[in-house]
Amino acid sequence: MTYSLAGKRVWVAGHRGMVGSAIVRRLAQEDCEVLTAARDELDLTDQRAVLGWMHNQRPQAVFLAAARVGGILANDSRPVEFLRDNLLIETAVLTGAESVGVEKLLFLGSSCIYPKHAEQPIREEALLTGSLEPTNEWYAIAKIAGIKLAEAYRREYGCDFISAMPTNLYGPGDNFDLNASHVMPALIRKVHEAKLAGGAVTVWGTGTPRREFLYVDDCADACLHLMQHYSDAPHINVGSGSDISIMELTRLVMEVLDYDGPVVTDSAKPDGAPRKLMDSARLAALGWQPKTALRDGIALAYQAFLAGEGRGL
Ligand code: GFB
């Protein structure tokens, strides 16, 4: 154990989001005090406000899960928000963390930081070795800047800031707004609605790209594992180790939701990266493995959707 959370004041920035709420759920198993700040209480893009809040609340550990996030269409159509707001959030929180002497901070990025045509499975060393996927380069550059800022604070101020790069996540609290969501919640909603109304399930693009998926509660568990057992500059991939084509995923979601209607593709929508399977061997070497199989995770995500646990419904 390199860092214990026992008895600590732990801030989950972005606690209402899918990842943040999963981290709050996981922290309930730890003996620590969880700090949160509602959006209307603290604007994370306002550096002065964040500094003031952190000086008042004095967190000892921070999970930075707050970010402007979205699927391929949202990223492609709102570049300013995805680049500017994510840069503002990470700068404010990391600067505040150094200022108040936070003992340990974990910064959450995304697998889209890697080059579009990176060798698969993608190792952490692939970062900045090639051009990015155009549909999410704005978000990717913001997240790469966050990794580098965490590294800079470690190097110049000795801050114990680490970075985790999760793959495509899904689960309770996801965004089901079809214009902003990622593919998994979109397919769950589309299949559910096709089942109720009949008709075809529309898949964006060609359905041939492959994606790796990790259930969000597994990601939260991995974040705590890294917080407790990892302390170094390089970012760490957090993946499930296997991928699936979007068309195969569509069939799997239809199986889990018990719907066997027609599937059509919408070639007017982008495919994005052809593949984004990560090599998570470093995380495995630290003693962590995911627990939730894809089929089981989809069933749990569907239950959460039916229970209204999500946004954009
Ligand atoms: O999940 P997704 O939006 O994001 O799209 P990315 C994954 C693949 O699913 C793409 C296809 O090839 C989409 O064309 N797809 C099929 C759909 N049907 C749908 C649909 O109804 N909705 C959506 N959204 N996709 C994201 C980045 O890239 O990965 C984010 O944009 C973040 O910034 C996230 O990094 C992890 O996997 O392509």
Side-chain angles (χ1 to χ4, degrees):
M1 178 80 79
T2 55
Y3 183 75
S4 170
L5 290 168
K8 297 294 174 63
R9 293 163 62 77
V10 183
W11 179 28
V12 181
H15 73 288
R16 299 288 303 273
M18 179 173 71
V19 179
S21 50
I23 291 173
V24 169
R25 278 198 297 276
R26 175 62 183 78
L27 285 171
Q29 301 167 33
E30 304 293 318
D31 162 30
C32 63
E33 180 186 355
V34 177
L35 305 178
T36 58
R39 242 181 230 216
D40 55 8
E41 180 192 351
L42 178 61
D43 174 358
L44 292 178
T45 64
D46 177 344
Q47 187 154 327
R48 285 173 57 84
V50 170
L51 200 57
W53 188 90
M54 292 184 82
H55 273 284
N56 288 338
Q57 297 295 322
R58 312 216 57 96
Q60 291 158 293
V62 178
F63 289 92
L64 178 44
R68 196 73 65 216
V69 299
I72 191 165
L73 202 59
N75 269 267
D76 202 25
S77 47
R78 294 162 25 208
V80 169
E81 202 179 323
F82 278 84
L83 179 52
R84 178 199 63 205
D85 290 4
N86 287 311
L87 284 175
L88 288 170
I89 291 168
E90 60 205 27
T91 303
V93 176
L94 268 67
T95 303
E98 187 281 324
S99 171
V100 304
V102 161
E103 296 166 358
K104 189 131 193 198
L105 177 143
L106 181 142
F107 170 69
L108 269 160
S110 162
S111 59
C112 74
I113 61 168
Y114 292 113
K116 175 167 188 168
H117 297 294
E119 185 188 340
Q120 312 275 328
I122 307 171
R123 293 167 48 81
E124 287 92 349
E125 290 79 0
L127 183 63
L128 295 174
T129 60
S131 55
L132 297 167
E133 158 54 41
T135 55
N136 55 39
E137 65 179 338
W138 328 98
Y139 180 74
I141 287 174
K143 287 300 179 179
I144 292 168
I147 293 170
K148 288 299 175 187
L149 188 58
E151 205 174 311
Y153 271 111
R154 175 180 291 274
R155 182 171 166 171
E156 187 172 346
Y157 292 98
C159 298
D160 194 359
F161 295 172
I162 61 175
S163 294
M165 291 305 120
T167 187
N168 289 48
L169 304 173
Y170 69 100
D174 214 335
N175 183 347
F176 291 93
D177 172 346
L178 295 181
N179 290 314
S181 71
H182 290 97
V183 62
M184 183 70 89
L187 289 177
I188 288 173
R189 178 168 184 172
K190 288 180 180 183
V191 172
H192 173 77
E193 290 175 350
K195 186 174 175 184
L196 292 184
V201 176
T202 305
V203 172
W204 289 358
T206 62
T208 60
R210 300 183 68 83
R211 289 294 182 271
E212 179 185 20
F213 293 96
L214 182 69
Y215 189 63
V216 70
D217 287 85
D218 283 342
C219 179
D221 190 56
C223 288
L224 265 78
H225 191 84
L226 288 170
M227 182 70 96
Q228 294 165 328
H229 298 283
Y230 182 67
S231 174
D232 202 346
H235 60 282
I236 299 284
N237 289 340
V238 180
S240 60
S242 64
D243 64 355
I244 184 173
S245 81
I246 297 304
M247 195 51 81
E248 291 163 336
L249 177 69
T250 304
R251 297 285 176 209
L252 181 57
V253 171
M254 291 170 75
E255 232 179 85
V256 172
L257 273 63
D258 190 21
Y259 180 64
D260 187 18
V263 175
V264 297
T265 54
D266 175 358
S267 56
K269 295 287 191 310
D271 269 342
R275 199 176 183 203
K276 292 199 289 183
L277 174 65
M278 294 194 299
D279 178 332
S280 298
R282 277 211 177 118
L283 179 58
L286 287 167
W288 187 86
Q289 284 294 337
K291 298 186 188 73
T292 312
L294 185 57
R295 180 187 292 271
D296 299 339
I298 293 169
L300 289 168
Y302 184 45
Q303 283 165 23
F305 167 80
L306 293 175
E309 291 164 31
R311 289 170 293 134
L313 291 170

